[in-house]
Amino acid sequence: MNSAIQKLIEENIDYIEAENFDAVYDEAMMVNHKLNIGELTDVFYAAGIDPLASLTEIPRLFLDESEITALVIPENIKKIRKAGLAFSKIEYLKLHNNCELSESCFHNSELKSIIIPDIMNEVPDECFYNCQELSDVDLNAIEQIGAEAFAYCTSLKNIFIPDDINYIADTAFEGCDITLYFHNKNEYAISYCQRNNMEYKFV
């Protein structure tokens, strides 16, 4: 354990014992120039403490530089905050259908696959930006895809676009070599692909 994390834990031991991890991670964000917050998360899990059990949202940079590669999001977590799992080594993630995603929440992570939760009607801006290992995405009932949402996801080769889609940012798939699949009645998707010179196929 590096000295900055040890000091943070010592200074916040009352919060930790009370399982007030919102306060602990807020304190960590204030000194994050001295430590990677994911290292703090690793210390908790190594000690048999699951900070997610007493949170309602995944904090910013929760797994930054953490060694954790797989995670199950419990039902009490209602939101992954902006950059919550960014810069993580997370490959496998099990999400429940009522967990909201935020802007940049997986930015530069090593995530391989994702099913967008039912609660979402849009993929936020930069949500999966530069997730170069991401190869399998189920958009579920998404209606909108934000700016750079999948930009530079170089392993993402195919994606099915739902019938109810009504907006895709021109930069949503920037830096990707991808084919969009959709039903031939999806006039918006056809227009989008033609306007952006993207490969598309009907299913």
Side-chain angles (χ1 to χ4, degrees), residues 5-69:
I5 291 177
Q6 184 172 354
K7 181 180 179 183
L8 180 75
I9 290 174
E10 290 171 353
E11 291 177 347
N12 291 275
I13 193 65
D14 290 343
Y15 286 142
I16 293 169
E17 290 178 347
E19 297 185 351
N20 184 358
F21 288 102
D22 273 322
V24 177
Y25 280 97
D26 285 346
E27 288 293 319
M29 281 302 302
M30 295 178 66
V31 296
N32 75 335
H33 61 286
K34 297 179 183 177
L35 57 88
N36 292 309
I37 292 174
E39 294 181 65
L40 174 65
T41 302
D42 283 350
V43 170
F44 287 144
Y45 279 112
I49 299 169
D50 180 3
L52 292 184
S54 58
L55 293 170
T56 58
E57 298 182 356
I58 291 184
R60 186 177 174 89
L61 300 174
F62 180 67
L63 294 180
D64 179 24
E65 297 300 322
S66 166
E67 295 302 314
I68 294 171
T69 60

Side-chain angles (χ1 to χ4, degrees), residues 128-144:
F128 300 97
Y129 184 93
N130 203 40
C131 291
Q132 295 186 11
E133 302 300 318
L134 185 64
S135 61
D136 186 13
V137 174
D138 184 343
L139 290 177
N140 219 328
I142 287 296
E143 297 175 6
Q144 300 185 358

Side-chain angles (χ1 to χ4, degrees), residues 4 14 20 45 71-72 75 88 100 128 139-141 159 185:
D14 290 343
N20 184 358
Y45 279 112
L71 190 66
V72 176
E75 295 284 340
S88 70
E100 183 181 344
F128 300 97
L139 290 177
N140 219 328
I159 192 167
K185 64 182 178 181

Side-chain angles (χ1 to χ4, degrees), residues 99-112:
C99 183
E100 183 181 344
L101 308 183
S102 303
E103 179 181 344
S104 306
C105 64
F106 294 104
H107 194 295
N108 275 283
S109 77
E110 297 183 16
L111 190 67
K112 294 181 182 293

